[in-house]
Amino acid sequence: AQSVTQLGSHVSVSEGALVLLRCNYSSSVPPYLFWYVQYPNQGLQLLLKYTSAATLVKGINGFEAEFKKSETSFHLTKPSAHMSDAAEYFCAVSGGWAGGTSYGKLTFGQGTILTVHP
Amino acid sequence: NAGVTQTPKFQVLKTGQSMTLQCAQDMNHEYMSWYRQDPGMGLRLIHYSVGAGITDQGEVPNGYNVSRSTTEDFPLRLLSAAPSQTSVYFCASSWDYLSSTDTQYFGPGTRLTVL
């Protein structure tokens, strides 16, 4: 079984400040990890994904994430927050769960709402 | 190319009523799935399909039914709505159902309230 834990349901930063959203995973097999963003009243959009090619993954809108196997983490960062970054962010791992079969099914974390203050 | 579309955007039901949430994609994706989103719980998989005629249960399938008669469409049926099914429902699709790295594309969601 695989699981994802996002530390902090709400994160608030000032415009121009560093954004750090935390994600830890649990997996019995090498994981594939994703970050999705959800803007208000919209569906989810892929920010970036880790597929074992490189541990530092760059995504859209200036976001990046680093896969750290020793820490079982895949934290999302952005050097300078913009007002347009305000959204809910989801970390997800690809794989199955107990009793299921694994295809491209995603297991999501609880989500982190990012607020950006002027 | 419309991507993944869902209808309706909003729906209010009374307990015991049935309804179908529609999902369609025009990307010729083999893999389609339904998730529900509840506050503080992220998204949870309800049902999924790896191709026309093939469906399987996800993490929270009770009270929901699906079928996949065509590659494009994957409707979700609520058999007898309950207040616990009040949620936002998302449909998603991806190209390669055998790949754990393939990007899933999400629809805009259906917000369902059961009174």
Side-chain angles (χ1 to χ4, degrees), chain B residues 12-85:
Chain B
V12 179
L13 292 178
K14 295 181 180 179
T15 296
Q17 287 184 315
S18 63
M19 79 158 294
T20 299
L21 308 185
Q22 301 291 345
C23 173
Q25 51 90 11
D26 61 359
M27 297 175 282
N28 203 30
H29 285 170
E30 290 290 337
Y31 184 84
M32 296 185 73
S33 54
W34 277 101
Y35 293 87
R36 59 177 289 172
Q37 182 184 23
D38 301 293
M41 302 188 73
L43 279 76
R44 293 178 291 168
L45 185 64
I46 304 172
H47 285 284
Y48 66 96
S49 169
V50 298
I54 307 169
T55 63
D56 204 349
Q57 296 181 351
E59 184 184 357
V60 289
N62 292 340
Y64 306 95
N65 212 350
V66 293
S67 60
R68 184 105 178 263
S69 56
T70 66
T71 298
E72 295 77 20
D73 300 298
F74 191 44
L76 177 72
R77 297 182 188 85
L78 279 69
L79 308 173
S80 177
S84 61
Q85 294 178 305

Side-chain angles (χ1 to χ4, degrees), chain A residues 13-97:
Chain A
V13 300
S14 298
E15 193 172 20
L18 171 72
V19 175
L20 171 60
L21 304 182
R22 300 178 187 273
C23 172
N24 288 90
Y25 69 91
S26 172
S27 177
S28 58
V29 297
Y32 298 111
L33 295 156
F34 303 76
W35 275 100
Y36 280 86
V37 60
Q38 183 181 29
Y39 297 105
N41 300 313
Q42 294 186 28
L44 277 71
Q45 177 183 358
L46 181 70
L47 269 180
L48 49 83
K49 61 181 178 181
Y50 166 74
T51 60
S52 76
T55 57
L56 182 62
V57 182
K58 294 187 184 299
I60 61 172
N61 301 338
F63 284 93
E64 63 181 36
E66 186 172 8
F67 173 72
K68 293 187 177 181
K69 184 178 178 181
S70 61
E71 299 177 8
T72 61
S73 69
F74 190 56
H75 301 332
L76 182 70
T77 61
K78 182 174 181 178
S80 177
H82 192 273
M83 297 293 289
S84 60
D85 295 327
E88 188 164 16
Y89 293 78
F90 293 93
C91 182
V93 62
S94 180
W97 53 88

Side-chain angles (χ1 to χ4, degrees), chain A residues 3-7 22-26 91 108-110:
Chain A
S3 65
V4 172
T5 301
Q6 292 183 238
L7 301 176
R22 300 178 187 273
C23 172
N24 288 90
Y25 69 91
S26 172
C91 182
F108 284 87
Q110 304 92 323

Side-chain angles (χ1 to χ4, degrees), chain B residues 62-111:
Chain B
N62 292 340
Y64 306 95
N65 212 350
V66 293
S67 60
R68 184 105 178 263
S69 56
T70 66
T71 298
E72 295 77 20
D73 300 298
F74 191 44
L76 177 72
R77 297 182 188 85
L78 279 69
L79 308 173
S80 177
S84 61
Q85 294 178 305
T86 293
S87 187
V88 181
Y89 292 85
F90 288 100
C91 180
S93 74
S94 63
W95 175 250
D96 184 359
Y97 72 89
L98 287 178
S99 171
S100 294
T101 63
D102 202 22
T103 298
Q104 291 196 29
Y105 295 86
F106 285 80
T110 294
R111 188 175 297 273

